[in-house]
Amino acid sequence: MNNAIEFFSEVENKLPVENIKYDDICAWQFLRQSYREKYTNTSISSSNINKNKFKIFKNIYLIISIFKKSFRGFFNYYKQKKYILFTSQINEKVIEGKISDKFSHHLIKYLKDELLIFQIPSSGSKIKKKSDYYYSACVSSWTMYLRCLPEIVYNLLPFSKFKLQGQNILNEIEKKLNIKVNYKFKTVLFFAFYRRFLKYFKKNKNLKCIFIECYMGIIHQSAIYAAKKCGIISIELQHGIISKAHLGYIVPQKIGRDSFPDYLFTFGDYVKDVLKNSFINNKNIIPTGSYYLEYLGNNKNIFNNSYDYCNSLHKSYQKLVAVTGQVTIDRQLLEIIRVAALTLPEIVFLYIPRKYNEHYKALKLPQNMIICENFGFYELIQFCDLHATVYSTCALESVFFGIPNILYNLNNLSRYYYQEILDNENYTRYCDDMQSFIDTVNNWNLPSKEEVKSYSVKFYEPESEKKLVNSLKTILNHT
């Protein structure tokens, strides 16, 4: 797998991607995300057979869904705010009694009514009552599709003046990577959104700063580009693992920085070493910790149900192993854990899928392998003994709660993503085969939770709320 990722990087660096341009901006800045995502997911996943089956119906459903979910907070779009946060509905969690954003809650608390939230809707998630939310002003990010629809349609017509330079380079990239991306559509979207944001930001005379949870994506990158044109600061909030294997953050210098954020607020200081001379200026990488993890660690009582559940399992089993699944390798990991559970009947494996699906109910699994439907990673991890995964971000979060990791090095993914970061075998162990995994689960003399938590400081800066507020004040006062 690492060879596949390295191959993408090699193709990107050897070909003149800086010559792929539209309107004098290097279009590879935002197109590379679509190519990277499609190529790496195809390389990792073993479940791509028939993935295009019913594609037309999925596209129709997507169009209907975008239309319906574009109207949330439609009139909030016109509110004049000093700050805008771009995030996603999948980040919603109950914090301090109300629905908030797990990556941005301390920011929401601090900025209060001066903040407008642009939120990408999540399929299957419902919008609750306004009184259930911690924040007051939110608008669907998909409103941009509606507002840009005439321009998008016009530029996709055969007689439009749309002209993307370097299409021959994109065709060569697709040939080398053996994938297809609708780069014309992606480019049309980017510039339609960019021009809309440009007008929008210019009308918002008081707007000082935009915050982005995950810069990657057409809407977020077009907003960053428009913000730069207006002299507005852009700050990304770390949302997941950042390592040298994450090509979204290992960016070729030659493609420019128009659609990348000015600052990056990270969980910990380690990111500076990872992103040296790559993503953004190293001095603009500022560790501010994770408010949500601190909140959970300080409020275990909110998980009484999951505590009771794990406590009951501890009465029947020697160890509880939380296993976090990932969509790309779900089938392989399920089989690995099934075999381990059959071999180790005195240990229970709690499999936590990225997204629960009804097909799990049809699986024939041993009694000591449980697919968790009602409890997620955050609800369970503090009450387990071990955490196992392939390359999920939960490997970092696990040590924050004092739980050591076993990383099953499927297709070399674990070592490629994590070996330079989680490099202490006292707290994280890598297993390259089934027997090694079984032996480690069964025989590891685990360190104390306090010891593991102490180690996690390198990944999560403490006092996150204080660090974020002070960092934000410094940036705004010097611009």
Side-chain angles (χ1 to χ4, degrees):
M1 173 53 215
N2 60 323
N3 292 332
I5 297 175
E6 287 168 358
F7 180 63
F8 178 92
S9 185
E10 182 181 342
V11 168
E12 180 179 41
N13 282 291
K14 284 189 175 181
L15 292 176
V17 291
E18 67 274 17
N19 295 332
I20 304 168
K21 291 184 177 181
Y22 182 83
D23 201 21
D24 291 327
I25 180 177
C26 177
W28 188 247
Q29 289 183 56
F30 55 89
L31 287 177
R32 74 186 296 268
Q33 169 59 15
S34 297
Y35 282 85
R36 182 195 69 82
E37 189 174 72
K38 187 162 188 177
Y39 179 66
T40 53
N41 284 348
T42 301
S43 302
I44 295 171
S45 180
S46 65
S47 57
N48 289 314
I49 300 173
N50 295 327
K51 66 178 181 177
N52 290 321
K53 193 177 182 181
F54 308 124
K55 185 175 179 180
I56 187 169
F57 299 107
K58 289 180 180 179
N59 288 341
I60 292 171
Y61 174 80
L62 178 62
I63 292 169
I64 294 171
S65 180
I66 288 175
F67 182 78
K68 287 172 62 177
K69 294 183 177 182
S70 294
F71 291 96
R72 183 189 180 189
F74 191 82
F75 294 105
N76 287 332
Y77 177 89
Y78 300 99
K79 291 184 176 179
Q80 299 279 315
K81 300 287 184 178
K82 289 184 180 180
Y83 308 98
I84 294 177
L85 166 66
F86 291 87
T87 186
S88 173
Q89 193 179 3
I90 62 174
N91 299 327
E92 285 186 348
K93 295 290 182 182
V94 176
I95 306 175
E96 299 180 2
K98 287 184 177 290
I99 300 170
S100 191
D101 186 280
K102 69 177 181 179
F103 296 116
S104 315
H105 181 73
H106 45 349
L107 182 72
I108 293 168
K109 276 179 70 175
Y110 177 60
L111 299 179
K112 297 178 182 176
D113 292 336
E114 295 181 324
L115 179 70
L116 173 63
I117 297 177
F118 269 74
Q119 188 185 72
I120 297 173
S122 173
S123 60
S125 297
K126 294 181 179 179
I127 305 301
K128 311 282 193 309
K129 294 184 298 183
K130 188 175 180 179
S131 59
D132 291 336
Y133 289 86
Y134 197 93
Y135 45 85
S136 58
C138 182
V139 58
S140 170
S141 293
W142 285 354
T143 188
M144 301 304 291
Y145 286 94
L146 287 185
R147 297 175 192 276
C148 298
L149 190 59
E151 182 177 350
I152 293 169
V153 172
Y154 174 78
N155 281 307
L156 290 174
L157 293 173
F159 56 77
S160 74
K161 296 180 180 180
F162 172 88
K163 185 171 178 60
L164 177 64
Q165 299 173 32
Q167 292 185 48
N168 60 316
I169 302 169
L170 289 169
N171 293 334
E172 188 175 352
I173 290 172
E174 292 184 354
K175 184 177 179 181
K176 287 181 178 292
L177 300 181
N178 193 28
I179 59 173
K180 281 286 183 183
V181 173
N182 192 339
Y183 52 77
K184 179 177 180 179
F185 179 65
K186 300 286 185 182
T187 305
V188 166
L189 280 184
F190 179 89
F191 281 96
F193 293 159
Y194 156 67
R195 283 186 276 268
R196 174 62 61 172
F197 276 125
L198 191 64
K199 293 178 183 178
Y200 182 62
F201 291 164
K202 285 180 177 179
K203 287 181 179 179
N204 285 267
K205 301 295 183 182
N206 296 325
L207 187 59
K208 293 183 177 181
C209 181
I210 65 170
F211 303 91
I212 307 100
E213 179 276 312
C214 183
Y215 87 90
M216 290 169 275
I218 298 293
I219 290 178
H220 290 182
Q221 286 191 267
S222 61
I224 292 169
Y225 182 34
K228 286 186 186 293
K229 289 290 185 180
C230 296
I232 296 166
I233 301 166
S234 57
I235 301 174
E236 181 179 6
L237 308 170
Q238 185 179 354
H239 68 288
I241 175 66
I242 295 178
S243 74
K244 291 181 180 178
H246 197 321
L247 295 178
Y249 291 98
I250 306 301
V251 182
Q253 293 293 321
K254 60 185 178 180
I255 66 173
R257 292 295 182 272
D258 304 276
S259 63
F260 299 112
D262 300 316
Y263 295 88
L264 175 61
F265 283 1
T266 65
F267 298 144
D269 200 52
Y270 82 94
V271 177
K272 288 188 176 183
D273 292 329
V274 174
L275 297 185
K276 197 173 292 182
N277 303 318
S278 178
F279 180 55
I280 58 176
N281 192 316
N282 210 251
K283 69 179 182 180
N284 291 352
I285 299 174
I286 303 170
T288 58
S290 170
Y291 179 90
Y292 184 59
L293 295 190
E294 289 181 9
Y295 170 75
L296 296 182
N298 294 329
N299 294 274
K300 289 185 181 180
N301 59 303
I302 64 176
F303 296 138
N304 286 335
N305 290 340
S306 53
Y307 168 77
D308 290 340
Y309 176 68
C310 290
N311 197 38
S312 66
L313 290 173
H314 267 122
K315 294 175 181 178
S316 304
Y317 297 97
Q318 293 178 9
K319 288 180 184 175
L320 269 63
V321 182
V323 183
T324 46
Q326 292 162 276
V327 175
T328 50
I329 44 84
D330 194 56
R331 290 185 182 180
Q332 296 119 301
L333 187 56
L334 276 167
E335 178 58 19
I336 289 164
I337 301 304
R338 188 189 70 83
V339 173
L342 287 170
T343 310
L344 301 170
E346 70 282 3
I347 294 173
V348 64
F349 295 85
L350 303 176
Y351 193 89
I352 308 166
R354 183 73 175 87
K355 185 176 181 181
Y356 187 85
N357 192 296
E358 289 298 315
H359 83 265
Y360 289 117
K361 292 181 179 179
L363 298 176
K364 294 181 180 180
L365 302 173
Q367 188 176 357
N368 61 325
M369 181 178 175
I370 301 169
I371 308 291
C372 299
E373 180 180 2
N374 299 317
F375 298 120
F377 172 80
Y378 297 119
E379 288 86 357
L380 293 171
I381 190 61
Q382 298 187 70
F383 313 118
C384 292
D385 302 296
L386 264 172
H387 170 249
T389 191
V390 175
Y391 66 109
S392 168
T393 302
C394 295
L396 281 183
E397 297 174 322
S398 178
V399 295
F400 179 91
F401 294 113
I403 308 301
N405 292 302
I406 298 177
L407 300 186
Y408 195 101
N409 191 34
L410 181 67
N411 300 329
N412 206 35
L413 285 164
S414 302
R415 294 186 186 278
Y416 195 65
Y417 273 88
Y418 273 116
Q419 194 157 33
E420 291 184 358
I421 301 171
L422 294 172
D423 56 357
N424 191 320
E425 67 173 8
N426 291 326
Y427 314 112
T428 298
R429 298 196 177 177
Y430 296 84
C431 298
D432 296 310
D433 54 53
M434 177 61 72
Q435 191 57 52
S436 172
F437 180 75
I438 290 170
D439 290 343
T440 305
V441 171
N442 195 35
N443 302 322
W444 189 0
N445 186 16
L446 301 176
S448 68
K449 285 190 176 183
E450 290 69 26
E451 186 182 343
V452 182
K453 286 179 181 178
S454 178
Y455 166 72
S456 74
V457 172
K458 66 184 290 188
F459 307 116
Y460 291 97
E461 195 78 12
E463 299 182 306
S464 61
E465 187 170 6
K466 179 181 177 182
K467 296 281 173 58
L468 178 133
V469 171
N470 288 342
S471 299
L472 188 55
K473 284 181 177 177
T474 301
I475 291 171
L476 295 178
N477 288 337
H478 284 81
T479 54

